[in-house]
Amino acid sequence: MKDLPKTSVQVPEGFDVATLGGGCFWCTEAIYQDLKGVERVESGYSGGHVDKPTYKQVTSATTGHAEVIQVLFDPTVITYGEILEIFWSTHDPTTLNRQGNDVGPQYRSAVFFHSEDQKNEAEFYVKRLAESGAFNRPIVTEITPFSNFYVAENYHQNYFNDNGMQPYCQFVIRPKVDKFKKAFAEKLKD
């Protein structure tokens, strides 16, 4: 495998960052935006071999990128473990390269870790979920070192909040967000 392009992440002092792929980034972004302790959520592309890919390139399934969100958070308010708990509770980590009707490697379940601690925590979480029988199929979430993140085009940012009446938002994203808000009500911003 050839070397992937590298990008860096500027993390302000006192904050941490998580890069997660849970299928369509519109869905995952909508979930993390309302969490206490989350400073910023950006939709983008990570883990591929093309430098500065476009949405059209990524959806062609030829760049190696996953649709991801990058979450900047305050670990004194919400921990990386809680970020992961929500991640595995709000998508299906047992379907390879697929979330619902969205099919292709860009929709894979992925954790792009930024430190050995994040790697260990993600691996521990997968092991714990597998042992608990939480899912009736094996978890296929990719746990891989962070290499790159490219912010998606502006129209992908804040998508659900800006386009909530669109059919995809109403029939796919809204039920996920509603289920999430019910399950994690105590973690939501006021």
Side-chain angles (χ1 to χ4, degrees):
M1 188 169 104
K2 67 180 189 174
D3 287 337
L4 299 178
K6 303 277 190 256
T7 63
S8 62
V9 182
Q10 300 302 319
V11 180
E13 193 171 325
F15 287 88
D16 202 352
V17 66
T19 304
L20 307 169
C24 171
F25 49 32
W26 296 342
C27 295
T28 49
E29 177 194 65
I31 285 168
Y32 283 88
Q33 285 178 318
D34 290 335
L35 287 170
K36 290 178 190 170
V38 169
E39 182 72 19
R40 183 180 72 231
V41 181
E42 289 183 298
S43 291
Y45 317 112
S46 200
H49 59 269
V50 173
D51 191 32
K52 299 179 186 142
T54 64
Y55 182 68
K56 186 173 182 174
Q57 288 175 305
V58 171
T59 57
S60 75
T62 60
T63 68
H65 290 282
E67 284 193 14
V68 299
I69 57 164
Q70 195 160 79
V71 181
L72 182 68
F73 64 98
D74 179 345
T76 66
V77 179
I78 186 166
T79 67
Y80 185 69
E82 290 171 310
I83 297 278
L84 291 177
E85 176 187 4
I86 292 163
F87 172 72
W88 273 297
S89 300
T90 55
H91 82 290
D92 183 352
T94 69
T95 55
L96 188 62
N97 298 331
R98 167 182 213 130
Q99 285 299 308
N101 292 328
D102 296 327
V103 179
Q106 68 272 27
Y107 299 116
R108 68 189 181 270
S109 176
V111 173
F112 296 97
F113 60 85
H114 293 264
S115 68
E116 281 301 304
D117 286 344
Q118 284 190 355
K119 174 187 177 188
N120 294 338
E121 200 156 355
E123 288 175 345
F124 172 79
Y125 211 105
V126 167
K127 183 175 184 262
R128 199 174 91 196
L129 284 170
E131 289 169 352
S132 76
F135 298 99
N136 57 10
R137 295 185 307 251
I139 294 169
V140 296
T141 303
E142 165 189 331
I143 299 173
T144 190
F146 173 82
S147 56
N148 55 57
F149 173 77
Y150 301 97
V151 177
E153 296 81 350
N154 282 340
Y155 68 92
H156 292 298
Q157 307 305 322
N158 203 38
Y159 192 85
F160 178 69
N161 292 332
D162 291 345
N163 301 281
M165 298 314 292
Q166 296 228 6
Y168 185 87
C169 292
Q170 286 295 307
F171 296 109
V172 177
I173 303 174
R174 182 164 307 285
K176 275 186 152 187
V177 169
D178 290 347
K179 181 179 172 185
F180 157 74
K181 285 182 175 182
K182 187 182 271 187
F184 292 96
E186 76 285 353
K187 295 189 185 318
L188 297 175
K189 292 175 182 171
D190 296 329

